[in-house]
Amino acid sequence: MHIKTKDGEKYQLPENIFILPIKEIVLFPTMVVSVYVKNPDYLSVLEEKMQNEELIGLTTYKNAEKPVPPTDNLYKVGTACKVLQVIKGHSGDAMLLVEGITRFEISKYTQEIPYLKANIKELIPTLEKSEEGDALAMEMKQQLEISSSLGKPLADDILINLQNINDYEELTNLACSYLTLPIPEKQFMLEMSDTINRMRQTVRQLSREMRLLQVRGKIHSEVEREMNKNEKDFLLRQELKAIQKELGEGDDEGKMAELKEIKHLENEIKKAKMPEEIEKIAMDELKRLKRIYPISPEYEVVHTYIEWLYSMPWDKSSKTKIDIKKARKILDEDHYGLEQIKERILEYLAICQMQEKPGATIMCFVGPPGVGKSSLGRSIARSLGRKFVQMSLGGMHDESEIRGHRRTYVGAMPGNIIQQLKRAGEKNPVIMLDEIDKLGIGNFQGDPASALIEVLDPELNFAFNDHYLDVPFDLSNTFFITTANILDPIPPALLDRMEIIELPGYIEEEKIQIAKKYLLPKQLKFNGLEKNPFTLDEEAIAYIIRRYTREAGLRDLEREIGKICRKIAKKMIEEGKKITKITKKDIPKLLGVEQFYEDMKQEKDMAGIATGLAWTQAGGEIIFIEATKMPGQNQLILTGHLGEIMQESAKAALSFLRSNAKKYGIKDSAFDKTDIHIHVPEGATPKDGPSAGITIGTALLSLFTGKKIRRDVAMTGEITLQGRILPIGGLKEKVLAARRSGIKTIIVPQDNEKDIKEIPEHLIKGIEFVYAKTLDDAIKVALKD
């Protein structure tokens, strides 16, 4: 056993010591360092050593990538340390804080598993005082102080106590711990036993590092003098150049690559055929790029901007010859019906054929979901011979998504309009802006609806200015199409820029034909049944429409047909039989229990129950308004999740009836001490709007006169206190709903007669329309007898 004394403390150095291998560091006596310990077998031993104040041995890996054991991958000379702290981690690892005490040499390893132990002997240096030793110690202290002033990181307490250190060994260990050397060289410094030679070697290494620090300072000074205000961001590049100058090296290969890239950009700018003023901007940016070093962040910003400029389709457009007959054929192939929309598209194509530049056209397709708004855009592009691009506006709340970000922001990029044009590769594609009615509300990030005005206004979009490009781009040749379910949420200023084309829901006959010609072939292909197709007869399709779907569009119908295809495919695989035809009787087996009643009319004529017509985003629907009375306190009870406007309509209808009770043969006493309850079924669904006024008035009049209301009559219209019937909207959808439900007579406001004339004749065939100016006109038809 040997005793080592340091700062008055005594440490016992065991002959057989616990060895902890360490990587990428050589520990010298006097150093305090943190060591990461991953092996859980070591933790209990280390905690025990810390509690008993026993020393442990630290030795360095020769090759950090090779394992230990074998022990021949460890240096034989290491440092005995005191364990100051063990900080445990969550996954069985720990961080160890140790202080170097003395050097040792391993004689022999006595244990390898589960941890290393070895016999050691202390490495005792020669510590004879001499004039040379004092001179080396003085030089070493001076070099450490100068190195600190040149930027070498030395702890403040070390610098303060540096002059008080007289022990050669302690001073040399301190200096060696601050040297920036490879592991083998540092290990060599640790293993040297002759103190004077070790001090000489340390002074030489300190002198070398001091010279490097002086050169670095000189480089910094030269760079600072050369730089102007705009070049301060490129310090690292200037330092690299200065270092290469000192070493006599160059970067010819990098310079050549940089020049090649500049030449490539210049060629691309010339090939892009930009407008003259924009090409000048691009060339100015290219000149600016030449002055920026490639490692600068600014270089990538300018480079990307130039790429966007030359990638835009400034002079590229579709040159396809327009053929009206071919276009009509394409539209008829892709869509059944929609004659008004097809005619409007063909009108535009005719103008395109007659004019070289017909100008921008913005169509807005409005209709319930599933009626073919989005797919119609693809057909338009196909008939025009142009590229088709689709982007959704639903939920968009940031103006920069339309107009782009300014280049001053990190990660800036152009808006979606410019991105879609670049993707299309031509300046006159068909761009469909889906769900324009679902744009986000303007906030601190701007108003995307206002930004769209510049995109869609033919008077403005010939010079659309994206914030990122910051140059005008001509959108006047682009064919914009927008889609919406309803018009109300669209700001008036934006709505004014668009031509509104309404797409009504499909009637049963149209759905049958669409299912046969489009939906069934599509689902057969999607479900792998092209080689084993089957047919659905019209009776079966009609049954699916009536009993399994209730919609204005076609999505549910397509889903049900897809479900049938999957069932058939499974049955053919399991039974090995080919199925060629599906009839009405097969549908319940394939689709399960019916979801809807075929006829939504009342089963019989009743007093107090009237049939109304309502408009929803999914199309039109029929609703039933029920009225009843009971003894009470003259209260009007309204239920069925009615909105404020609908509640006001009910109050107006009741007030009209009470003020005209004598006219309809109702005694005044009929309202005394009587509660009136009006209910609209399906209470979970919110209902609102003024168009139920005529229906409520009819139901109340039937209730108090006892006359029954015809079940095959539906009505819609707003009622006033004078009993006048005012016009309403959504008439086309309401008529389709009535037709689907088997209604034969529809009462509408007289002022809506012009709207009926706009509905295609095949949609209103078999329906009688009664035009009511007052409630009296309605009850003559609606009430029996």
Side-chain angles (χ1 to χ4, degrees), residues 134-260:
D134 290 342
L136 288 169
M138 190 180 298
E139 179 67 17
M140 205 180 299
K141 291 176 183 179
Q142 188 177 1
Q143 287 177 337
L144 285 170
E145 288 175 347
I146 294 172
S147 296
S148 176
S149 67
L150 291 172
K152 185 78 173 178
L154 295 174
D156 292 339
D157 57 334
I158 296 294
L159 288 172
I160 294 170
N161 297 319
L162 191 61
Q163 298 300 329
N164 298 327
I165 300 174
N166 297 315
D167 185 275
Y168 293 168
E169 183 73 8
E170 183 181 349
L171 180 61
T172 306
N173 285 330
L174 175 64
C176 286
S177 67
Y178 281 99
L179 288 174
T180 306
L181 294 172
I183 294 296
E185 292 185 32
K186 270 204 169 186
Q187 182 67 29
F188 174 74
M189 300 289 290
L190 180 70
E191 293 178 0
M192 291 180 70
S193 57
D194 188 295
T195 301
I196 296 299
N197 284 337
R198 193 162 175 248
M199 290 175 76
R200 288 194 196 107
Q201 185 67 20
T202 304
V203 168
R204 279 196 289 271
Q205 292 293 349
L206 282 172
S207 178
R208 173 182 166 274
E209 287 197 4
M210 191 168 64
R211 287 196 302 274
L212 287 174
L213 289 169
Q214 288 170 342
V215 171
R216 186 172 181 271
K218 179 184 174 184
I219 292 169
H220 270 285
S221 299
E222 288 180 3
V223 170
E224 286 291 338
R225 284 195 297 270
E226 289 176 11
M227 285 195 308
N228 57 34
K229 184 179 179 181
N230 294 327
E231 292 175 329
K232 286 186 178 179
D233 291 338
F234 319 131
L235 175 62
L236 292 175
R237 180 65 179 174
Q238 290 282 15
E239 284 185 353
L240 181 61
K241 284 184 68 178
I243 290 169
Q244 289 173 341
K245 185 178 177 182
E246 288 286 334
L247 296 173
E249 298 176 357
D251 187 17
D252 294 338
E253 187 178 337
K255 193 68 177 174
M256 287 298 293
E258 187 178 335
L259 290 172
K260 189 177 179 181

Side-chain angles (χ1 to χ4, degrees), residues 546-547 550 596-603 622 624 711 740-743:
R546 294 168 190 162
R547 300 298 181 92
R550 183 72 65 190
F596 300 97
Y597 295 108
E598 180 182 357
D599 191 355
M600 295 277 297
K601 291 187 302 184
Q602 289 289 332
E603 294 180 0
I622 69 168
F624 300 106
R711 64 193 181 98
R740 285 196 303 266
S741 302
I743 300 295

Side-chain angles (χ1 to χ4, degrees), residues 74-139:
L74 293 174
Y75 288 106
K76 287 193 173 183
V77 175
T79 302
C81 301
K82 176 185 177 182
V83 182
L84 301 177
Q85 192 175 6
V86 178
I87 304 170
K88 290 184 178 180
H90 295 292
S91 55
D93 54 356
M95 189 62 73
L96 197 65
L97 189 65
V98 297
E99 179 185 7
I101 303 299
T102 187
R103 297 180 291 162
F104 65 81
E105 184 177 4
I106 295 173
S107 304
K108 179 185 177 182
Y109 282 96
T110 59
Q111 178 178 311
E112 291 186 355
I113 296 175
Y115 49 81
L116 299 176
K117 293 190 74 175
N119 291 333
I120 63 168
K121 60 180 180 180
E122 186 178 10
L123 197 64
I124 301 174
T126 57
L127 292 173
E128 295 180 5
K129 285 280 185 176
S130 65
E131 289 184 1
E132 184 184 3
D134 290 342
L136 288 169
M138 190 180 298
E139 179 67 17

Side-chain angles (χ1 to χ4, degrees), residues 671-687:
F671 299 99
D672 294 339
K673 295 184 179 180
T674 300
D675 285 347
I676 301 169
H677 188 167
I678 297 173
H679 176 69
V680 183
E682 299 184 25
T685 306
K687 308 167 192 73

